Amino acid sequence: MRILVANVNTTESMTESIAASARAVAAPGTEIVGITPRFGADSCEGNFESYLAAIAVMDAVTSYPEPFDAVVQAGYGEHGREGLQELLDVPVVDITEAAASTAMFLGHKYSVVTTLDRAVPLIEDRLKLAGLDARCASVRASGMAVLELEEEPERAVEAIVGEAMRAVTQDKAEVIVLGCGGMAGLDEQIRQRAGVPVVDGVASAVTIAESLVRMRLSTSKIRTYAAPRPKTVIGWPLNSAGTAAQLQNTRP
């Protein structure tokens, strides 16, 4: 089984750390391939960067030259999962939905701890759209920018732990969700400090993707996520040959 884990930003080191976290939970025989968009922002922390990332990830995934069995979109609250589901015939799992749904197996309510405050409304909206907001106690910002998570990991852990503890004591959360792909791998440190289950979206998404592949299940194609209708698409990112071929292959 081969799973593509798509970083939503262009920072290669973050792709590597996300892929390493995915490999740590993948079952024997599962190959994890981390992919980085060839264009876009070096971190995604707002609507412009998020929509840009959606196009970049669709381009990166559909340009991948080898067969694959599933895709994990490793951006918390990012857009684009729906587009990938239209383009592909394999399961597509977004870490936002994977983490929140996993958290609901572990406690009555969960809280998300993310990066900057400006990301909070985007995540709240994404959870509401996915129907996962009813058991979300809060979405809290750690105040750490995405790139700072790599640059200052000790300060990042302290900031995340602080907000996690406030979520538990003030918001009555029973589970903490890490609200950024760049937080992958920090779950154990935060779990030990916070004393509650801590869910990493990358790990959750990989295990869900594996389960869907093993059960031979994928996205329904009869309505919402049917393949794009045949039409001329002008200027699709730099007219990538791989992407053009993929779009051609999705025609009913």
Side-chain angles (χ1 to χ4, degrees), residues 37-113:
R38 60 195 176 96
F39 60 90
D42 57 1
S43 66
C44 294
E45 295 164 321
N47 285 293
F48 164 70
E49 294 150 2
S50 178
Y51 283 107
L52 180 61
I55 300 171
V57 168
M58 285 188 283
D59 172 68
V61 170
T62 56
S63 298
Y64 184 76
E66 302 295 332
F68 52 90
D69 301 290
V71 175
V72 167
Q73 181 167 288
Y76 207 95
E78 309 301 339
H79 301 273
R81 184 264 297 162
E82 299 90 342
L84 279 176
Q85 286 184 297
E86 289 186 6
L87 290 171
L88 303 177
D89 292 322
V90 301
V92 178
V93 183
D94 169 74
I95 66 170
T96 312
E97 298 172 12
S101 58
T102 299
M104 293 193 296
F105 287 107
L106 305 174
H108 178 62
K109 286 203 170 185
Y110 68 92
S111 282
V112 178
V113 179

Coordinates of all heavy atoms in Angstrom, one line a residue, residues 37-113:
P37 N 4.2 20.8 -2.6 CA 3.8 21.5 -3.8 C 4.9 22.2 -4.4 O 5.9 22.7 -3.8 CB 2.8 22.5 -3.2 CG 2.3 21.9 -1.9 CD 3.5 21.2 -1.4
R38 N 4.9 22.4 -5.7 CA 6.0 23.1 -6.5 C 5.8 24.6 -6.5 O 6.6 25.3 -7.0 CB 6.1 22.5 -7.9 CG 4.9 22.6 -8.7 CD 5.0 21.7 -10.0 NE 3.8 21.7 -10.8 CZ 3.6 22.5 -11.8 NH1 4.6 23.3 -12.2 NH2 2.5 22.5 -12.5
F39 N 4.6 25.0 -6.0 CA 4.4 26.5 -5.9 C 3.5 26.7 -4.7 O 2.9 25.8 -4.1 CB 3.8 27.1 -7.1 CG 2.4 26.5 -7.5 CD1 1.2 27.1 -7.0 CD2 2.3 25.4 -8.3 CE1 0.0 26.5 -7.3 CE2 1.1 24.8 -8.6 CZ -0.1 25.4 -8.1
G40 N 3.5 28.0 -4.2 CA 2.7 28.3 -3.0 C 3.5 29.0 -1.9 O 4.7 29.4 -2.2
A41 N 2.9 29.1 -0.8 CA 3.6 29.8 0.3 C 4.4 28.9 1.2 O 4.1 27.7 1.2 CB 2.5 30.5 1.2
D42 N 5.3 29.4 1.9 CA 6.2 28.5 2.8 C 5.4 28.2 4.1 O 5.9 27.3 4.8 CB 7.5 29.2 3.1 CG 7.4 30.5 3.7 OD1 6.3 31.0 4.0 OD2 8.5 31.1 4.0
S43 N 4.3 28.8 4.3 CA 3.4 28.3 5.4 C 2.0 28.8 5.1 O 1.9 29.8 4.4 CB 3.9 28.9 6.8 OG 3.8 30.3 6.9
C44 N 1.0 28.2 5.7 CA -0.4 28.5 5.4 C -1.1 29.0 6.7 O -1.3 28.1 7.6 CB -1.1 27.3 4.8 SG -0.6 26.9 3.1
E45 N -1.4 30.3 6.7 CA -2.0 30.8 8.0 C -3.1 31.8 7.7 O -3.5 32.5 8.6 CB -0.9 31.5 8.8 CG 0.2 30.6 9.3 CD 1.5 31.3 9.7 OE1 1.9 32.3 9.1 OE2 2.1 30.8 10.7
G46 N -3.7 31.7 6.5 CA -4.8 32.6 6.2 C -5.5 32.1 5.0 O -5.1 31.1 4.3
N47 N -6.6 32.8 4.6 CA -7.4 32.3 3.5 C -6.7 32.3 2.1 O -6.8 31.4 1.4 CB -8.7 33.2 3.4 CG -9.7 32.9 4.5 OD1 -10.3 31.8 4.5 ND2 -9.9 33.8 5.4
F48 N -6.0 33.4 1.8 CA -5.3 33.5 0.6 C -4.3 32.3 0.4 O -4.3 31.6 -0.6 CB -4.5 34.8 0.4 CG -3.4 34.7 -0.7 CD1 -3.8 34.7 -2.0 CD2 -2.1 34.7 -0.4 CE1 -2.9 34.6 -3.0 CE2 -1.1 34.6 -1.4 CZ -1.5 34.6 -2.7
E49 N -3.5 32.0 1.4 CA -2.5 30.9 1.4 C -3.3 29.6 1.3 O -2.8 28.6 0.7 CB -1.6 31.0 2.6 CG -0.7 32.3 2.6 CD -0.4 32.8 3.9 OE1 -0.8 32.1 4.9 OE2 0.3 33.8 4.0
S50 N -4.4 29.5 2.0 CA -5.1 28.3 2.0 C -5.7 27.9 0.6 O -5.6 26.8 0.2 CB -6.3 28.4 3.0 OG -7.0 27.2 3.1
Y51 N -6.3 28.9 0.0 CA -6.9 28.6 -1.3 C -5.8 28.3 -2.4 O -5.9 27.5 -3.2 CB -7.7 29.8 -1.8 CG -9.1 29.8 -1.2 CD1 -9.4 30.7 -0.2 CD2 -10.1 28.9 -1.5 CE1 -10.7 30.7 0.4 CE2 -11.3 28.8 -0.9 CZ -11.6 29.8 0.0 OH -12.8 29.8 0.6
L52 N -4.6 29.0 -2.2 CA -3.5 28.8 -3.1 C -3.0 27.3 -2.9 O -2.7 26.6 -3.8 CB -2.4 29.8 -2.8 CG -1.1 29.7 -3.6 CD1 -1.3 29.8 -5.1 CD2 -0.1 30.7 -3.1
A53 N -3.0 26.9 -1.6 CA -2.5 25.6 -1.3 C -3.4 24.5 -1.9 O -3.0 23.5 -2.3 CB -2.5 25.4 0.3
A54 N -4.7 24.8 -1.9 CA -5.7 23.9 -2.5 C -5.3 23.5 -3.9 O -5.3 22.4 -4.3 CB -7.1 24.4 -2.4
I55 N -5.0 24.5 -4.7 CA -4.6 24.3 -6.1 C -3.3 23.6 -6.2 O -3.1 22.7 -7.0 CB -4.6 25.7 -6.9 CG1 -5.9 26.3 -6.8 CG2 -4.1 25.5 -8.3 CD1 -6.0 27.8 -7.4
A56 N -2.3 24.1 -5.3 CA -1.0 23.5 -5.3 C -1.0 22.0 -5.0 O -0.3 21.2 -5.6 CB -0.1 24.3 -4.4
V57 N -1.8 21.6 -4.0 CA -1.9 20.2 -3.6 C -2.5 19.4 -4.7 O -2.1 18.3 -5.0 CB -2.6 20.1 -2.3 CG1 -2.9 18.6 -2.0 CG2 -1.7 20.7 -1.1
M58 N -3.6 19.9 -5.3 CA -4.2 19.1 -6.4 C -3.2 18.9 -7.5 O -3.1 17.8 -8.1 CB -5.5 19.9 -6.9 CG -6.7 19.7 -6.0 SD -8.2 20.4 -6.7 CE -8.0 22.1 -6.5
D59 N -2.4 20.0 -7.8 CA -1.4 19.9 -8.9 C -0.3 18.8 -8.5 O 0.0 18.0 -9.3 CB -0.8 21.2 -9.1 CG 0.4 21.2 -10.0 OD1 0.2 20.9 -11.2 OD2 1.6 21.4 -9.5
A60 N 0.1 18.9 -7.2 CA 1.2 18.0 -6.8 C 0.7 16.5 -6.8 O 1.5 15.6 -7.2 CB 1.7 18.4 -5.4
V61 N -0.5 16.3 -6.3 CA -1.0 14.9 -6.2 C -1.2 14.3 -7.6 O -0.8 13.2 -7.9 CB -2.2 14.9 -5.4 CG1 -2.9 13.5 -5.5 CG2 -1.9 15.2 -3.9
T62 N -1.9 15.1 -8.5 CA -2.2 14.6 -9.8 C -1.0 14.5 -10.7 O -1.0 13.8 -11.8 CB -3.3 15.4 -10.5 OG1 -2.9 16.8 -10.6 CG2 -4.6 15.4 -9.7
S63 N 0.1 15.2 -10.4 CA 1.3 15.1 -11.1 C 2.2 14.0 -10.7 O 3.2 13.7 -11.3 CB 2.1 16.4 -11.0 OG 1.4 17.5 -11.6
Y64 N 1.9 13.3 -9.5 CA 2.7 12.2 -9.0 C 2.7 11.1 -10.0 O 1.7 10.6 -10.5 CB 2.2 11.8 -7.7 CG 3.1 10.7 -7.0 CD1 4.3 11.1 -6.5 CD2 2.8 9.4 -7.1 CE1 5.2 10.1 -5.9 CE2 3.6 8.4 -6.5 CZ 4.8 8.8 -5.9 OH 5.6 7.8 -5.4
P65 N 3.9 10.6 -10.4 CA 4.0 9.7 -11.6 C 3.7 8.2 -11.3 O 3.5 7.5 -12.3 CB 5.4 9.9 -12.1 CG 6.2 10.2 -10.8 CD 5.3 11.0 -10.0
E66 N 3.7 7.8 -10.1 CA 3.5 6.4 -9.8 C 2.1 6.1 -9.2 O 1.4 7.0 -8.7 CB 4.6 5.9 -8.8 CG 6.0 6.2 -9.2 CD 6.3 5.3 -10.5 OE1 5.7 4.2 -10.6 OE2 7.2 5.7 -11.2
P67 N 1.7 4.9 -9.2 CA 0.4 4.5 -8.6 C 0.4 4.7 -7.1 O 1.4 4.6 -6.5 CB 0.2 3.0 -9.0 CG 1.1 2.8 -10.1 CD 2.3 3.7 -9.9
F68 N -0.8 5.1 -6.5 CA -0.9 5.2 -5.1 C -2.3 4.8 -4.7 O -3.2 4.7 -5.5 CB -0.6 6.6 -4.6 CG -1.4 7.7 -5.3 CD1 -2.6 8.1 -4.9 CD2 -0.8 8.3 -6.5 CE1 -3.3 9.1 -5.5 CE2 -1.5 9.3 -7.1 CZ -2.8 9.7 -6.7
D69 N -2.4 4.4 -3.4 CA -3.7 3.9 -2.9 C -4.5 4.8 -2.1 O -5.7 4.6 -1.9 CB -3.4 2.6 -2.0 CG -2.6 1.6 -2.8 OD1 -3.2 1.0 -3.7 OD2 -1.4 1.4 -2.5
A70 N -4.0 5.9 -1.6 CA -4.7 6.9 -0.8 C -3.9 8.2 -0.7 O -2.7 8.2 -0.9 CB -5.0 6.3 0.6
V71 N -4.6 9.2 -0.3 CA -3.9 10.5 -0.1 C -4.3 11.1 1.3 O -5.5 11.0 1.7 CB -4.3 11.5 -1.2 CG1 -3.7 12.9 -0.9 CG2 -3.9 11.1 -2.6
V72 N -3.3 11.6 2.0 CA -3.6 12.3 3.2 C -3.2 13.8 2.9 O -2.1 14.1 2.5 CB -2.7 11.8 4.4 CG1 -2.7 12.8 5.6 CG2 -3.2 10.4 4.8
Q73 N -4.2 14.7 3.2 CA -3.9 16.1 3.0 C -3.5 16.7 4.4 O -4.4 16.7 5.3 CB -5.2 16.8 2.5 CG -4.9 18.3 2.3 CD -6.0 19.0 1.5 OE1 -6.1 18.9 0.3 NE2 -6.8 19.8 2.2
A74 N -2.3 17.0 4.5 CA -1.7 17.4 5.8 C -1.7 18.9 6.1 O -0.7 19.4 6.5 CB -0.3 16.8 5.9
G75 N -2.9 19.5 6.0 CA -3.0 20.9 6.3 C -4.2 21.0 7.2 O -5.3 20.6 6.8
Y76 N -4.1 21.6 8.4 CA -5.2 21.7 9.3 C -6.1 22.9 8.9 O -5.7 24.0 9.0 CB -4.8 21.8 10.7 CG -5.8 21.2 11.7 CD1 -5.7 19.9 12.1 CD2 -6.9 22.0 12.1 CE1 -6.7 19.4 13.0 CE2 -7.8 21.5 13.0 CZ -7.7 20.2 13.4 OH -8.7 19.7 14.2
G77 N -7.4 22.6 8.6 CA -8.3 23.6 8.2 C -8.1 24.1 6.8 O -8.8 25.0 6.3
E78 N -7.2 23.5 6.0 CA -7.0 24.0 4.7 C -8.1 23.5 3.7 O -8.8 22.5 4.0 CB -5.6 23.4 4.1 CG -4.4 23.7 5.1 CD -4.2 25.2 5.4 OE1 -4.7 26.0 4.6 OE2 -3.5 25.4 6.4
H79 N -8.2 24.2 2.6 CA -9.2 23.8 1.6 C -8.6 22.9 0.6 O -7.4 22.7 0.5 CB -9.7 25.1 0.9 CG -10.2 26.1 1.8 ND1 -11.6 26.1 2.1 CD2 -9.7 27.1 2.4 CE1 -11.8 27.1 2.9 NE2 -10.7 27.8 3.1
G80 N -9.5 22.3 -0.2 CA -9.0 21.5 -1.4 C -9.3 20.0 -1.3 O -9.2 19.3 -2.3
R81 N -9.6 19.5 -0.1 CA -9.9 18.0 0.0 C -11.0 17.6 -1.0 O -11.0 16.6 -1.7 CB -10.3 17.7 1.4 CG -10.5 16.2 1.7 CD -12.0 15.9 1.6 NE -12.8 16.6 2.7 CZ -14.1 16.7 2.6 NH1 -14.8 16.2 1.6 NH2 -14.8 17.4 3.6
E82 N -12.1 18.5 -1.1 CA -13.2 18.1 -2.0 C -12.8 18.0 -3.4 O -13.2 17.2 -4.2 CB -14.3 19.2 -1.8 CG -14.9 19.3 -0.4 CD -14.1 20.3 0.5 OE1 -13.0 20.7 0.1 OE2 -14.7 20.7 1.5
G83 N -11.9 18.9 -3.9 CA -11.4 18.9 -5.2 C -10.6 17.6 -5.5 O -10.8 17.0 -6.6
L84 N -9.8 17.2 -4.6 CA -9.0 15.9 -4.7 C -10.0 14.8 -4.8 O -9.8 13.8 -5.6 CB -8.1 15.7 -3.6 CG -6.7 16.5 -3.6 CD1 -6.0 16.2 -2.4 CD2 -5.9 16.0 -4.8
Q85 N -11.1 14.8 -4.0 CA -12.0 13.7 -4.1 C -12.7 13.6 -5.4 O -13.1 12.5 -5.8 CB -13.0 13.9 -2.9 CG -12.5 13.5 -1.6 CD -13.5 13.6 -0.5 OE1 -14.1 14.6 -0.2 NE2 -13.8 12.4 0.2
E86 N -12.9 14.7 -6.1 CA -13.5 14.7 -7.4 C -12.5 14.1 -8.4 O -12.8 13.3 -9.3 CB -13.9 16.1 -7.9 CG -15.1 16.6 -7.2 CD -15.5 17.9 -7.8 OE1 -15.0 18.4 -8.8 OE2 -16.4 18.6 -7.2
L87 N -11.2 14.4 -8.3 CA -10.2 14.1 -9.2 C -9.7 12.6 -9.1 O -9.2 12.0 -10.1 CB -9.0 15.0 -9.1 CG -9.1 16.4 -9.5 CD1 -7.9 17.3 -9.1 CD2 -9.4 16.5 -11.0
L88 N -9.8 12.1 -7.9 CA -9.2 10.8 -7.6 C -10.2 9.7 -7.4 O -11.3 9.9 -6.9 CB -8.3 10.9 -6.4 CG -7.2 11.9 -6.5 CD1 -6.4 11.9 -5.2 CD2 -6.2 11.7 -7.7
D89 N -9.8 8.4 -7.6 CA -10.6 7.3 -7.3 C -10.1 6.5 -6.1 O -10.6 5.4 -5.8 CB -10.6 6.3 -8.6 CG -11.3 6.9 -9.8 OD1 -12.3 7.6 -9.6 OD2 -10.8 6.7 -10.9
V90 N -9.2 7.1 -5.3 CA -8.7 6.5 -4.1 C -9.2 7.4 -2.9 O -9.5 8.5 -3.1 CB -7.2 6.4 -4.1 CG1 -6.7 5.5 -5.3 CG2 -6.5 7.8 -4.2
P91 N -9.1 6.8 -1.7 CA -9.5 7.6 -0.5 C -8.7 8.9 -0.3 O -7.5 8.8 -0.5 CB -9.4 6.6 0.6 CG -9.4 5.3 0.0 CD -8.8 5.4 -1.3
V92 N -9.3 10.0 0.0 CA -8.6 11.2 0.4 C -9.0 11.6 1.8 O -10.2 11.7 2.1 CB -9.0 12.3 -0.6 CG1 -8.3 13.6 -0.2 CG2 -8.7 12.0 -2.0
V93 N -8.0 11.7 2.7 CA -8.3 11.9 4.1 C -7.7 13.2 4.5 O -6.4 13.4 4.4 CB -7.9 10.8 5.0 CG1 -8.2 11.0 6.5 CG2 -8.4 9.4 4.5
D94 N -8.4 14.2 5.1 CA -7.9 15.4 5.5 C -7.6 15.4 7.0 O -8.4 14.8 7.8 CB -9.0 16.5 5.3 CG -8.7 17.8 5.9 OD1 -7.9 18.5 5.5 OD2 -9.4 18.1 6.9
I95 N -6.5 15.9 7.5 CA -6.1 15.7 8.9 C -7.1 16.5 9.8 O -7.2 16.1 11.0 CB -4.7 16.2 9.1 CG1 -4.4 17.7 9.0 CG2 -3.7 15.4 8.3 CD1 -3.1 18.2 9.4
T96 N -7.7 17.5 9.4 CA -8.7 18.2 10.2 C -9.8 17.3 10.7 O -10.1 17.1 11.9 CB -9.3 19.4 9.5 OG1 -8.2 20.2 8.9 CG2 -10.1 20.3 10.5
E97 N -10.4 16.7 9.7 CA -11.6 15.8 9.9 C -11.1 14.5 10.6 O -11.8 14.0 11.5 CB -12.3 15.5 8.6 CG -12.9 16.8 8.0 CD -13.4 16.5 6.6 OE1 -13.6 15.3 6.2 OE2 -13.7 17.5 5.9
A98 N -9.9 14.0 10.2 CA -9.4 12.8 10.8 C -9.2 13.0 12.3 O -9.5 12.1 13.2 CB -8.2 12.3 10.1
A99 N -8.5 14.1 12.7 CA -8.2 14.3 14.1 C -9.5 14.5 14.9 O -9.6 14.0 16.0 CB -7.3 15.5 14.2
A100 N -10.4 15.3 14.4 CA -11.6 15.6 15.2 C -12.5 14.4 15.4 O -13.0 14.1 16.5 CB -12.4 16.7 14.5
S101 N -12.6 13.6 14.3 CA -13.4 12.4 14.5 C -12.8 11.4 15.4 O -13.5 10.7 16.2 CB -13.7 11.8 13.1 OG -12.5 11.5 12.4
T102 N -11.4 11.3 15.4 CA -10.7 10.4 16.3 C -10.9 10.9 17.7 O -11.1 10.0 18.6 CB -9.2 10.4 15.9 OG1 -9.1 9.8 14.6 CG2 -8.5 9.5 16.9
A103 N -10.8 12.2 18.0 CA -11.0 12.7 19.3 C -12.3 12.4 19.9 O -12.4 12.2 21.1 CB -10.8 14.2 19.3
M104 N -13.4 12.3 19.1 CA -14.7 12.0 19.6 C -14.9 10.6 20.1 O -15.8 10.3 20.8 CB -15.7 12.3 18.6 CG -15.8 13.8 18.3 SD -17.3 14.4 17.3 CE -17.0 13.6 15.8
F105 N -13.9 9.7 19.8 CA -13.9 8.3 20.3 C -13.3 8.3 21.7 O -13.4 7.3 22.4 CB -13.1 7.4 19.4 CG -13.8 7.0 18.2 CD1 -13.4 7.5 17.0 CD2 -14.9 6.1 18.2 CE1 -14.0 7.2 15.8 CE2 -15.5 5.8 17.0 CZ -15.1 6.3 15.8
L106 N -12.6 9.4 22.1 CA -11.8 9.4 23.3 C -12.3 10.2 24.5 O -11.8 10.1 25.6 CB -10.4 9.9 22.9 CG -9.7 9.1 21.8 CD1 -8.4 9.8 21.4 CD2 -9.5 7.7 22.2
G107 N -13.3 11.0 24.2 CA -13.9 11.9 25.3 C -15.1 12.6 24.8 O -15.5 12.5 23.7
H108 N -15.8 13.2 25.8 CA -17.1 13.9 25.5 C -16.9 15.1 24.6 O -17.6 15.3 23.6 CB -17.8 14.3 26.8 CG -19.1 15.0 26.6 ND1 -20.1 14.5 26.0 CD2 -19.4 16.3 26.9 CE1 -21.1 15.3 25.9 NE2 -20.7 16.5 26.4
K109 N -15.9 15.9 24.9 CA -15.6 17.1 24.1 C -14.1 17.2 23.9 O -13.3 16.8 24.7 CB -16.2 18.4 24.7 CG -17.7 18.5 24.6 CD -18.2 19.9 24.6 CE -19.6 20.0 24.3 NZ -20.1 21.4 24.2
Y110 N -13.7 17.8 22.8 CA -12.3 18.0 22.4 C -12.1 19.5 22.2 O -13.0 20.3 21.9 CB -11.9 17.2 21.2 CG -12.5 17.7 19.9 CD1 -11.9 18.6 19.1 CD2 -13.8 17.2 19.5 CE1 -12.5 19.1 17.9 CE2 -14.4 17.6 18.3 CZ -13.7 18.6 17.5 OH -14.3 19.0 16.4
S111 N -10.8 19.9 22.3 CA -10.4 21.3 22.0 C -9.2 21.2 21.0 O -8.4 20.3 21.1 CB -10.0 22.1 23.2 OG -11.1 22.6 23.9
V112 N -9.2 22.1 20.1 CA -8.1 22.2 19.1 C -7.1 23.3 19.6 O -7.6 24.4 19.9 CB -8.6 22.6 17.7 CG1 -7.5 22.7 16.7 CG2 -9.6 21.5 17.2
V113 N -5.9 23.0 19.6 CA -4.8 24.0 19.8 C -4.1 24.2 18.5 O -3.4 23.3 18.0 CB -3.9 23.6 21.0 CG1 -2.8 24.7 21.1 CG2 -4.6 23.4 22.3

